[in-house]
Amino acid sequence: MRLKYTSVLFLGTVSMLYSQNTNDTISKESKIDEVSITGSRNKKRTVTNTPVPVDVIDIKQVSQSTGQIEVNQLLQFSAPSFNSNKQSGSDGADATDPATLRGLGPDQTLLLLNGKRYHQSSLINVFGTKGRGNTGSDMNTIPIGAIKRIEVLRDGASAQYGSDAIAGVINVILNDRNHGFEGNAFYGMNLFKSPGNNDVVSDHKVDGTTFDFSGNLGTRIGNKGGFGNFTVEFVNKDRTIRNANPEKYSSPRQKFGDAKSQNVYFFGNIELPLSDGLKFYSHQGFSYRNTDAYAWTRTPDADGNIPEIYPNGFNPIEDTSITDFTFDNGLKFKVANWDVDFYNAFGSNRFTYQIDNTINATLGVKSPTSFNAGGHSLLQNTTGFNASKQFKVLEGLNVAFGSEFRYEQFEIIKGEEASYAMYDINGNIVTADTPTNLLVTNPLTGDNRPGGSQGFPGYSQEVNKNRNNFAAYVDTELDVTKNWMVSVAGRFENYSDFGSTLNGKFATRYAITPQFAFRGSVSTGFRAPSLAQKYYSLQFTNFQGGNLVTIQLASNDSDIAEKSGISQLKQETSLNGSAGFTFNTAKFTATIDGYYIKVKDRIVLTGNFSRDDLPQEVQDDYPFIDQAQFFSNAIDTRTKGVDIILSYTDNLGPGKLTATLAGNYNEMEITKVNASEKLKGKEDIYLSARERAFILASAPKTKVNLNLNYKINKFNANVQLVRFDKVKLIGYSGADDYQLYGAKVTTDISFGYEFSKNFNLTIGSKNLFNRYPTLQTAHVDGNTESGGIFDPVQMGFAGRQAFARLNFKF
């Protein structure tokens, strides 16, 4: 039996949009029948006959034509509802890119690897970045060379997959080719040119040079259809510098731009039949990333500088190391005609900080210039099973059920003492009882010098916390008629640290004609507070108005949080609704999906409550705390929007043209701020105008992608335009201190030629016309979040890149 499908270029991606013909089935040669499309556990379900929107992205085609080498950036310029920007001056976030789907939090999208839950990053975004107060998964720990396709489910799916799936699910499918070797070599470089009037300067005319090499080997194992697929990839990316011109502006950062990084990956995908009806599989992954990012500049006379060590001031460097490990194993077999999948999925992420080119100013000329600042790690282990079976009820009933047990562990790794401590003139650690006349001062200003490593303060406390949860679900799909299907799912979860939650989902699809169908869903969802949000704590000192200030980021289980009336974190809850239409012919495909997402009790990191804002009990018990901030279920949000995808494929002259226009309209509003009883009336500190703007700017209101691909024999050309809507951010001085980033359009172009079936070359340019975000020339005194001449919004601030990619196989 045959499958009819069209390969449609989806914003630089190939989406397999399958025929609506219900008589079509799937050939064994395509092996699509062995894959459950994300959002459905029915193996006979295909992309366009699911009741919710699913995009299937062909990674090889996209990366080759667009020159993207990281998953986050690939999706940023491919999927309109996905947004991710490289950060600068944001501590750990300089090494990982916060990512959002439909403008929700980075931790409200679930990441799967071959259908199994993928672990989160141990990083929680705290300083100067989008997704502040959120954790999330780091998709860039998975190499592009190891990926076959990515399925993006744009719909709430907590009832099917559990926590984090409020915005949707991204399922990364690994390569399963069982023969041959395929290699890719990529070289790119940014060709610096100021966006106008020499407002921006760089150390070099060419920077950001990037080299990426990946090798993928497929091999057969045994004679029963077993295979092994293994990927090794290495990426070396130099930094970009986009400083404000010092002859025109007094910017607080001398080294502003993308960080330098080196990535090493190894991933494996193994499947081995053990006997008739019994199959073993294993997915192994290891990645190591080392990132060098510049922090804010310390001037020669700054309180944090010792002129005898750095007579010209200095730029601290955050040397971040990320070690990520994945090891999933499972068995597939049949029991009484039920297809059973029993598995164990293990993952860990470790983040450590070495701060170089820095000092602890309270140690004076004796200070080291490099510090081990500690770090954090997260471990996750999931054991579970899924079972599914089809029944001859009406036109077909598929029933699936399963259970999971998950264990999680979060650690904060203590740094060396000098990385966080403040010392007095006698070399003793400063405490609340230290006399002020013993504090180390700057002789030029008379102000007290700050302690700890400049650029990033080390962790002063060790944390080791864990939890577990149990989950059980049932997922059903019934074809009532050949044209009408309904789906009902339910899931129960119990967490050891906050209790239980029960969620459900109803979805339906009705084929009005063989080409035209209606689809829709309604569901409840949830996201469990991460261990990092519950137990992360940090105490550091800062100077505000020349005064030494001790700031306590208090963990949610701390005494100070309890006495301030901050409740124990509980799950975020959501109500999701979607409705849309699909239309599909041999040449033209259209999907339109509207959505509504109401989230209650979203967890955010509050602003800094001054000593006078805190309850009297806290002031009495913690006399050395000047300011405090907390993680709290503080806000409710409402998001509504529309996704539209139009694709057309036809022969044009001697070649074939594929055109895709896709867009996302997304509008979020913060409907409520939930202050604790003891902090009532201080909602503007819970969530300031500045923090509100950052949340609302997680996605531009509109984002539109146009992609044109033309192929003639061995030659192909690809053009992609992406329009980012305007973005508004607010500075530190209040609502009147705003930064407006106007709408921008980027253009990517590439040309490819197949010299033979085993050798092809692609050359092109990303951001061909060198577009930058709107220059914030009125805010380069430090009011931009990143300390530069613009913030990390829209297309980023690296400018134009030229690239070449060589693909070979044998």
Side-chain angles (χ1 to χ4, degrees):
M1 293 182 288
R2 301 174 58 197
L3 167 71
K4 294 167 62 180
Y5 69 91
T6 55
S7 294
V8 179
L9 194 68
F10 170 60
L11 310 167
T13 71
V14 174
S15 295
M16 291 184 175
L17 300 178
Y18 300 91
S19 168
Q20 305 283 340
N21 191 332
T22 57
N23 294 322
D24 288 341
T25 54
I26 301 172
S27 69
K28 291 183 179 180
E29 290 77 13
S30 71
K31 294 196 175 182
I32 297 297
D33 61 336
E34 298 180 9
V35 177
S36 297
I37 294 296
T38 306
S40 172
R41 290 184 169 88
N42 187 342
K43 293 184 179 182
K44 292 186 177 181
R45 198 69 62 201
T46 57
V47 172
T48 54
N49 61 26
T50 61
V52 292
V54 180
D55 303 321
V56 179
I57 302 173
D58 185 310
I59 292 300
K60 178 181 176 181
Q61 192 276 339
V62 180
S63 60
Q64 190 153 324
S65 62
T66 64
Q68 300 294 348
I69 64 169
E70 297 176 333
V71 175
N72 270 22
Q73 287 298 292
L74 184 148
L75 293 177
Q76 160 76 344
F77 289 92
S78 299
S81 57
F82 182 93
N83 287 276
S84 178
N85 292 105
K86 289 191 171 300
Q87 304 296 302
S88 183
S90 303
D91 296 327
D94 282 20
T96 62
D97 307 336
T100 67
L101 191 64
R102 289 180 165 174
L104 295 179
D107 48 12
Q108 292 175 326
T109 298
L110 175 62
L111 180 63
L112 305 177
L113 181 69
N114 273 20
K116 304 300 185 291
R117 176 179 287 268
Y118 195 72
H119 58 279
Q120 288 191 335
S121 167
S122 62
L123 175 71
I124 186 163
N125 298 311
V126 174
F127 296 108
T129 180
K130 290 184 180 178
R132 186 169 171 266
N134 296 161
T135 51
S137 296
D138 184 359
M139 285 188 285
N140 289 341
T141 58
I142 307 173
I144 280 184
I147 301 174
K148 180 179 181 179
R149 68 179 186 272
I150 294 179
E151 299 172 358
V152 182
L153 167 63
R154 292 178 279 116
D155 193 60
S158 293
Q160 296 159 295
Y161 296 102
S163 178
D164 308 347
I166 288 177
V169 178
I170 296 177
N171 189 10
V172 177
I173 306 298
L174 296 175
N175 277 331
D176 58 1
R177 191 182 69 254
N178 65 0
H179 64 279
F181 176 86
E182 184 167 353
N184 277 278
F186 173 94
Y187 183 79
M189 54 185 176
N190 291 89
L191 308 175
F192 174 73
K193 181 180 179 182
S194 177
N197 300 320
N198 293 321
D199 287 321
V200 179
V201 296
S202 177
D203 295 343
H204 306 283
K205 294 301 181 184
V206 175
D207 64 7
T209 54
T210 303
F211 175 74
D212 175 20
F213 176 82
S214 68
N216 179 266
L217 175 67
T219 182
R220 292 180 175 87
I221 301 177
N223 55 9
K224 295 183 179 180
F227 71 86
N229 188 278
F230 306 98
T231 302
V232 175
E233 186 163 350
F234 172 77
V235 179
N236 185 82
K237 183 180 183 299
D238 201 2
R239 58 174 49 91
T240 61
I241 298 297
R242 301 292 180 265
N243 296 331
N245 190 336
E247 296 181 0
K248 301 177 68 173
Y249 312 109
S250 56
S251 172
R253 290 185 67 191
Q254 294 176 355
K255 300 291 184 180
F256 170 74
D258 290 342
K260 177 181 180 180
S261 65
Q262 287 185 329
N263 297 25
V264 178
Y265 303 93
F266 170 80
F267 263 66
N269 184 19
I270 296 173
E271 192 170 286
L272 180 63
L274 301 178
S275 64
D276 290 341
L278 179 62
K279 185 182 297 182
F280 168 78
Y281 63 87
S282 179
H283 318 129
Q284 319 87 42
F286 171 81
S287 71
Y288 174 79
R289 182 185 314 148
N290 179 256
T291 302
D292 283 352
Y294 282 115
W296 287 41
T297 301
R298 270 60 176 177
T299 58
D301 59 350
D303 294 330
N305 181 43
I306 302 298
E308 291 86 348
I309 300 178
Y310 298 110
N312 298 317
F314 64 100
N315 292 285
I317 297 176
E318 297 172 18
D319 186 343
T320 306
S321 295
I322 306 172
T323 304
D324 199 273
F325 183 66
T326 299
F327 192 47
D328 301 349
N329 297 279
L331 293 171
K332 292 182 179 180
F333 51 91
K334 282 185 176 292
V335 175
N337 291 323
W338 286 83
D339 293 314
V340 181
D341 180 359
F342 178 78
Y343 59 89
N344 187 84
F346 174 86
S348 68
N349 179 272
R350 181 182 176 90
F351 229 104
T352 57
Y353 303 88
Q354 181 75 25
I355 313 305
D356 300 322
N357 199 48
T358 184
I359 55 170
N360 182 325
T362 61
L363 289 174
V365 294
K366 297 179 180 180
S367 173
T369 57
S370 181
F371 298 88
N372 174 6
H376 35 77
S377 67
L378 178 73
L379 178 150
Q380 174 185 294
N381 191 77
T382 306
T383 302
F385 79 92
N386 300 315
S388 64
K389 183 178 180 180
Q390 294 188 357
F391 298 88
K392 293 182 179 179
V393 177
L394 297 178
E395 292 298 321
L397 170 67
N398 190 85
V399 177
F401 68 94
S403 180
E404 283 185 342
F405 179 82
R406 186 164 71 252
Y407 172 84
E408 297 173 327
Q409 182 180 30
F410 174 71
E411 291 184 74
I412 292 181
I413 305 161
K414 189 175 181 179
E416 64 176 287
E417 181 182 274
S419 72
Y420 59 82
M422 172 181 287
Y423 298 94
D424 64 18
I425 59 177
N426 298 317
N428 299 315
I429 295 179
V430 172
T431 68
D433 299 325
T434 301
T436 56
N437 65 315
L438 295 182
L439 297 179
V440 179
T441 60
N442 182 348
L444 297 177
T445 64
D447 295 330
N448 295 323
R449 291 198 183 277
S453 49
Q454 290 293 292
F456 184 89
Y459 291 95
S460 61
Q461 300 176 5
E462 290 183 340
V463 171
N464 190 332
K465 298 290 184 177
N466 63 73
R467 73 174 174 201
N468 58 69
N469 82 294
F470 169 81
Y473 78 89
V474 62
D475 190 352
T476 64
E477 291 186 6
L478 175 65
D479 289 310
V480 181
T481 69
K482 291 183 178 180
N483 296 326
W484 181 33
M485 67 84 66
V486 294
S487 173
V488 178
R491 189 180 187 96
F492 168 82
E493 295 211 15
N494 178 265
Y495 284 77
S496 62
D497 56 350
F498 72 82
S500 302
T501 179
L502 180 65
N503 292 276
K505 181 172 183 174
F506 173 82
T508 188
R509 178 184 179 276
Y510 185 80
I512 301 170
T513 71
Q515 293 79 32
F516 183 61
F518 166 83
R519 63 188 181 187
S521 72
V522 61
S523 64
T524 61
F526 80 103
R527 189 193 72 82
S530 69
L531 286 176
Q533 288 173 321
K534 288 178 70 69
Y535 300 114
Y536 188 92
S537 66
L538 184 65
Q539 184 180 112
F540 55 97
T541 55
N542 202 349
F543 285 92
Q544 298 177 2
N547 298 315
L548 178 65
V549 176
T550 299
I551 301 174
Q552 177 72 56
L553 196 170
S555 64
N556 185 244
D557 66 337
S558 65
D559 180 66
I560 186 173
E562 181 181 0
K563 290 179 177 178
S564 299
I566 303 297
S567 300
Q568 289 288 294
L569 293 180
K570 59 184 179 180
Q571 72 270 31
E572 303 171 348
T573 60
S574 71
L575 175 65
N576 295 58
S578 69
F581 296 91
T582 65
F583 181 77
N584 187 19
T585 66
K587 296 181 179 180
F588 178 72
T589 300
T591 65
I592 301 175
D593 294 281
Y595 57 88
Y596 173 92
I597 308 169
K598 183 178 180 181
V599 184
K600 186 178 180 180
D601 298 321
R602 279 185 65 170
I603 298 171
V604 298
L605 179 61
T606 69
N608 291 338
F609 291 90
S610 69
R611 183 174 182 78
D612 293 339
D613 291 321
L614 296 170
Q616 187 62 47
E617 183 181 12
V618 176
Q619 297 182 40
D620 294 340
D621 292 350
Y622 296 91
F624 56 89
I625 297 296
D626 298 302
Q627 296 180 6
Q629 57 182 159
F630 312 94
F631 290 97
S632 174
N633 292 98
I635 66 171
D636 299 344
T637 63
R638 182 167 54 227
T639 303
K640 54 188 177 182
V642 179
D643 290 321
I644 300 176
I645 303 175
L646 308 176
S647 301
Y648 181 76
T649 303
D650 200 1
N651 294 324
L652 181 64
K656 184 176 184 179
L657 173 69
T658 303
T660 303
L661 178 66
N664 169 255
Y665 167 83
N666 191 87
E667 184 175 4
M668 179 190 293
E669 58 179 318
I670 297 169
T671 58
K672 186 180 180 182
V673 177
N674 307 305
S676 73
E677 287 299 322
K678 293 184 178 181
L679 296 173
K680 282 288 188 183
K682 299 179 174 61
E683 285 79 6
D684 287 342
I685 302 177
Y686 264 89
L687 198 71
S688 67
R690 174 172 162 270
E691 295 304 330
R692 287 172 181 263
F694 267 104
I695 292 174
L696 299 178
S698 295
K701 183 166 286 190
T702 62
K703 185 178 172 185
V704 181
N705 303 52
L706 173 64
N707 188 279
L708 303 172
N709 183 272
Y710 188 63
K711 182 174 176 60
I712 305 177
N713 297 323
K714 297 182 178 182
F715 172 81
N716 74 83
N718 196 84
V719 178
Q720 176 174 274
L721 290 90
V722 181
R723 182 189 184 275
F724 300 88
D725 204 351
K726 63 183 178 181
V727 175
K728 182 179 180 180
L729 296 177
I730 293 176
Y732 290 90
S733 302
D736 294 333
D737 176 27
Y738 64 87
Q739 297 112 41
L740 185 63
Y741 294 88
K744 297 288 182 176
V745 177
T746 63
T747 304
D748 301 340
I749 188 169
S750 68
F751 302 94
Y753 188 79
E754 298 177 8
F755 292 92
S756 70
K757 65 179 182 179
N758 295 326
F759 182 83
N760 63 70
L761 176 67
T762 302
I763 59 173
S765 175
K766 294 183 289 187
N767 196 357
L768 178 65
F769 299 110
N770 199 43
R771 301 302 186 210
Y772 287 81
T774 303
L775 298 171
Q776 301 300 311
T777 54
H779 296 276
V780 292
D781 57 354
N783 286 339
T784 55
E785 186 69 17
S786 57
I789 204 165
F790 26 51
D791 285 295
V793 296
Q794 299 167 323
M795 76 296 293
F797 38 70
R800 179 193 299 117
Q801 184 189 70
F803 71 87
R805 181 185 291 275
L806 179 66
N807 175 266
F808 55 94
K809 53 187 174 181
F810 52 84

